[in-house]
Amino acid sequence: VLHGIKVGFATLLVADSYTRLSSITPSKVANWLRKTSLPDSKTQLNEIRQNYNRNPDRIVDEQKRFLELTPTGWQQLQQRISDQWQAIQSITALVPTRSEIERILGPIHFPLTAAAVGLTEMDVNSGLLSAHYLRDRFTVFKLLFYLR
């Protein structure tokens, strides 16, 4: 499968993630944040090594600031997410929805399903669960990881 096809399909998944965030109210996110605990770094290291077997050390190095988050740092991050939720919501409103992207890609017969791209639902779910490790910054996937 060509790289552009993979990127296009991933764009649909990212749009779904932003749509999911757009439906979360400030009170709901505050409640979720109160219920979540600091992610276990050993579990995360195992996930990285399992899912990124080509170069896990690079991913670990890039994720160091998240993997070494202290309880105080975790509380500060939770507060920052809560404090910035309105700004996050305004960003989600700018992202096209899946249906808008499908409307653009459909006429060119772009593959719009996992199966059409050659992926199983398990591939997609596994990718979504580990996607937050792909970038060394705080992405929509990192936010969703912390809210789960």
Side-chain angles (χ1 to χ4, degrees), residues 38 69-79:
L38 176 64
L69 205 56
T70 64
T72 300
W74 173 242
Q75 288 175 337
Q76 291 169 344
L77 178 59
Q78 288 175 304
Q79 187 61 51

Side-chain angles (χ1 to χ4, degrees), residues 1 20 32 115-116 119 138:
V1 176
R20 184 172 161 213
W32 281 357
L119 299 171
F138 199 87

Side-chain angles (χ1 to χ4, degrees), residues 21-73:
L21 286 176
S22 71
S23 67
I24 303 171
T25 64
S27 61
K28 191 179 230 179
V29 81
N31 188 39
W32 281 357
L33 288 168
R34 275 192 299 278
K35 291 179 180 179
T36 60
S37 57
L38 176 64
D40 179 64
S41 61
K42 288 180 183 175
T43 301
Q44 291 184 81
L45 285 169
N46 288 337
E47 288 174 0
I48 291 170
R49 296 202 189 291
Q50 179 181 345
N51 293 307
Y52 297 97
N53 54 11
R54 285 190 191 171
N55 197 351
D57 293 334
R58 181 183 61 82
I59 302 291
V60 168
D61 187 53
E62 289 176 354
Q63 294 296 313
K64 190 170 248 172
R65 68 185 168 138
F66 299 112
L67 295 169
E68 295 177 351
L69 205 56
T70 64
T72 300

